[in-house]
Amino acid sequence: MVKVVVGINTLISLILLYATWRVWRLRLKLTRLTNWLILAERCSHTLFSPAPQALDISRQNIYNLRQTNQALELQIQQLQQIYSILSVGQRFWRWYFPRKVK
């Protein structure tokens, strides 16, 4: 009877030792994974931390370009109007003062 109890206790001890070894290995893997994730977070933070400032600068540049574009569109519209007036004047001139063919 004592041999059976000692055998069962030894078997239980070996099973628990194996479970402890597996938990210890899992802890090492989780530690490595945690360290890798911390490193990835630090790298991404370093990479993306200037992004808000860059976005603000880009927004300001886009606003400035739109303002410049509006001014240029107004100038283009004025030039088109001047060209139209000159074209009408040229047609009128040719109609009113036709060339005389020799």
Side-chain angles (χ1 to χ4, degrees):
M1 184 74 172
V2 172
K3 288 182 181 181
V4 173
V5 171
V6 170
I8 291 174
N9 280 343
T10 304
L11 183 63
I12 291 172
S13 296
L14 289 175
I15 292 171
L16 290 176
L17 182 64
Y18 177 75
T20 304
W21 178 74
R22 294 289 296 191
V23 169
W24 181 71
R25 298 250 325 176
L26 179 63
R27 182 175 92 39
L28 287 178
K29 287 181 182 180
L30 289 175
T31 302
R32 282 190 215 123
L33 178 64
T34 302
N35 290 338
W36 185 83
L37 289 174
I38 289 171
L39 180 64
E41 192 275 332
R42 285 180 185 160
C43 292
S44 65
H45 178 74
T46 303
L47 180 66
F48 294 121
S49 63
Q53 183 181 5
L55 289 174
D56 289 340
I57 291 170
S58 296
R59 278 192 202 111
Q60 185 63 40
N61 289 340
I62 289 171
Y63 174 78
N64 292 340
L65 285 173
R66 285 184 178 155
Q67 295 300 318
T68 303
N69 189 28
Q70 285 179 354
L72 291 174
E73 284 179 359
L74 180 62
Q75 289 177 356
I76 289 172
Q77 190 178 29
Q78 290 172 345
L79 286 172
Q80 287 174 340
Q81 290 172 350
I82 291 170
Y83 177 74
S84 296
I85 291 171
L86 289 175
S87 178
V88 169
Q90 184 182 24
R91 279 192 226 130
F92 176 76
W93 183 267
R94 286 185 180 170
W95 178 77
Y96 195 70
F97 299 106
R99 281 189 182 177
K100 295 182 182 177
V101 182
K102 294 182 182 182

